Amino acid sequence: MKTLRTILIKEFRQFRRDSFLPRLCVMFPFMIMLIMPLVATMDVRNVNVVVVDNDGKDFSRLLMDKIAASEYLTLADVTHSYDKALRMVEQDEADVIVEINPSKGSMVRSADYPEICVSANSVNGMKGTLGLQYITKVLSSLSSREGWGTNGLGASVRFMFNPTLNYRFFMIPALMVMLVIMLCGFLPALNLVGEKEKGTIEQINVTPIHPVIFTLGKLIPYWIIGLLVITIAIPLAYLVYGLPVAGSLFTLYLASIIFIVFMSSVGVAIANKSQTMQQAMFVMFFFVVVFILMSGLMTPVQSMPQWAQMLTYVIPPRYFIDIMRGTWLRGAGILDQHFLFLALTASAVLACLVAVITYKKQQ
């Protein structure tokens, strides 16, 4: 314990004397939590709609008013020429064309309603698809209100855990993964490789320090930093976005501690096998890209191909993201997510063993 305490004092002094790292550890969670949920979003807004009105009756005016009042749609123009609307799409001034033609009585119940043709620009497939869905929803809302094709039937839709369908609420818990990876993965790896390049690690290699003590001395400071970062991020999510933690903070912190142990151990293991900063950074970036793309951070795992879904079971960030979202949004507890906790704990233990085994005093 005396040896471990000495190593920890040395690590904290070295961290405090650094002019950059303390500022990074404070500013990074603010930047991630304040900027990333605003820019890394799958919500498609400001879909520009041009209406080709060849009918000119009440339904046309109601439809245009509904489009103009929508949070996601923008009424770009109203014209009587489809060619003009098509040119606007070609010039990227519009995304969806809604053509309103006088009814022939073949597709609708009443002659008071026109025939409608909707065309979407699918160069950007997501924007085109969602724009078409938005327009369809507007038309469905109007038809239900006016009694067009409803046959007296109605439906009540309830969105659980995220009633507003806000994509930021889906992203914010997952951003904890980004914080932990960048601070608790990269920093210990670069710290250890930096000592190799400076030659100071040779002084440790000639001492009788046990590999376990040395590894803990390198990991514990970044465990503390990771917990401080999580502590900063949780109130930021509530104060800025109004997203409180629905479940227990104990569950949230326990999952964070386990993942912090895993990620910092990965960083140390990579540093043990790297001789230069460039080697450590490239290997870490490889793992970061895999973690981001395959863990469900940006897109749901269920939308991946079957072989990719099977592969995600060996990627520990997947379990951490599921725990964070389940605890934060649904209020799930440890027992509700026991498989995720067991898988994440096993990954952390394995990563710690690899970090200890790969440390060799003989360089």
Side-chain angles (χ1 to χ4, degrees), residues 10 14 188-205 214 218 267-277 279-280 355 358-363:
K10 173 254 184 187
Q14 184 177 338
L190 297 181
N191 173 273
L192 188 55
V193 176
E195 290 196 14
K196 284 185 179 182
E197 291 185 338
K198 295 175 184 177
T200 56
I201 199 170
E202 296 295 336
Q203 301 174 15
I204 299 177
N205 288 337
F214 174 78
K218 286 293 182 182
V268 170
I270 291 174
N272 289 338
K273 290 298 184 179
S274 303
Q275 298 300 322
T276 63
M277 288 278 193
Q279 290 179 8
T358 53
Y359 170 63
K360 296 180 181 180
K361 289 191 174 183
Q362 300 298 325
Q363 300 295 326

Side-chain angles (χ1 to χ4, degrees), residues 264-294:
S264 56
S265 299
V266 170
V268 170
I270 291 174
N272 289 338
K273 290 298 184 179
S274 303
Q275 298 300 322
T276 63
M277 288 278 193
Q278 289 81 0
Q279 290 179 8
M281 290 184 66
F282 274 111
V283 176
M284 280 299 303
F285 271 119
F286 168 78
F287 281 99
V288 169
V289 170
V290 173
F291 288 167
I292 291 176
L293 296 180
M294 300 292 294

Side-chain angles (χ1 to χ4, degrees), residues 90-102:
E90 292 172 347
Q91 296 170 4
D92 203 26
E93 297 176 359
D95 303 299
V96 178
I97 300 174
V98 178
E99 185 179 14
I100 308 175
N101 297 312

Side-chain angles (χ1 to χ4, degrees), residues 258 319 323 334 337-349:
I258 298 173
Y319 304 115
I323 292 172
I334 296 176
Q337 308 173 96
H338 64 277
F339 172 76
L340 301 177
F341 272 96
L342 290 175
L344 190 60
T345 303
S347 302
V349 172

Side-chain angles (χ1 to χ4, degrees), residues 122-141:
S122 58
V123 171
N124 184 335
M126 177 174 291
K127 193 171 186 179
T129 301
L130 291 179
L132 183 61
Q133 292 178 359
Y134 295 157
I135 290 294
T136 303
K137 186 175 180 180
V138 169
L139 293 173
S140 176
S141 174

